[in-house]
Amino acid sequence: MSLNDYLLSHNYTKIRFSISRTNHLILKGKINNQTGLFILDTGASNTCIDSKDIELFRLSAIESDTKASGAGSNTIETQIAHHNLVKLGRWNHNNTDIILLDLTHVNQALKNYNTKPVNGIIGADILQNGDAVIDYANHLLYLKKQKSR
């Protein structure tokens, strides 16, 4: 039995991703029913959206005392938006907290490699919630569907 067949038979859904010139895993998804382009980042603890896209994704954000950290900085100001709907392919989660921060430096780096800018980052919070399996060879992310309540 192939990995694909096994996971699909165990209530997973698959989401195709691409690999950018910068070796980032890139996928399309929806936040609050608005489509965006995202980096799939296993090293990011939380899902993040560029603060300039707060209206696009209909986020209701509040100030956060937490400072984000990443390559090059650990003092990035953040906001948080609670109770958001995230859809990746046929997988969804309707109670996701999203961190808002300035992703200008990320998009500038992508632009330097003639790569499309992203709206945000899908982080480990989503990957853990969906019991993620990443199939690098076939460019597929598998997430386990939520049980209906």
Side-chain angles (χ1 to χ4, degrees), residues 13 85-94 129 144-146:
T13 187
L85 173 62
V86 175
K87 290 184 180 179
L88 301 173
R90 293 182 179 159
W91 183 90
N92 67 73
H93 187 260
N94 64 3
N129 188 281
K144 193 165 195 170
K145 295 177 190 173
Q146 304 292 310

Side-chain angles (χ1 to χ4, degrees), residues 11 13 23 31 35 45 49 57 62 86-87 90 97 100 103 115 123 138 143 148-149:
N11 208 29
T13 187
N23 280 329
I31 307 288
T35 302
S45 56
I49 296 293
F57 293 109
I62 58 173
V86 175
K87 290 184 180 179
R90 293 182 179 159
D97 291 344
L100 287 105
L103 293 178
T115 300
N138 294 303
L143 295 173
S148 299
R149 296 179 185 167

Side-chain angles (χ1 to χ4, degrees), residues 62-68 74-80 99:
I62 58 173
E63 294 300 319
S64 172
D65 293 332
T66 303
K67 303 283 188 223
N74 64 353
T75 59
I76 301 169
E77 298 289 328
T78 66
Q79 293 179 297
I80 188 166
I99 306 298

Side-chain angles (χ1 to χ4, degrees), residues 10-26:
H10 283 81
N11 208 29
Y12 278 79
T13 187
K14 62 184 174 181
I15 301 105
R16 185 159 300 281
F17 63 81
S18 61
I19 300 178
S20 72
R21 289 184 185 105
T22 56
N23 280 329
H24 289 100
L25 308 184
I26 305 292

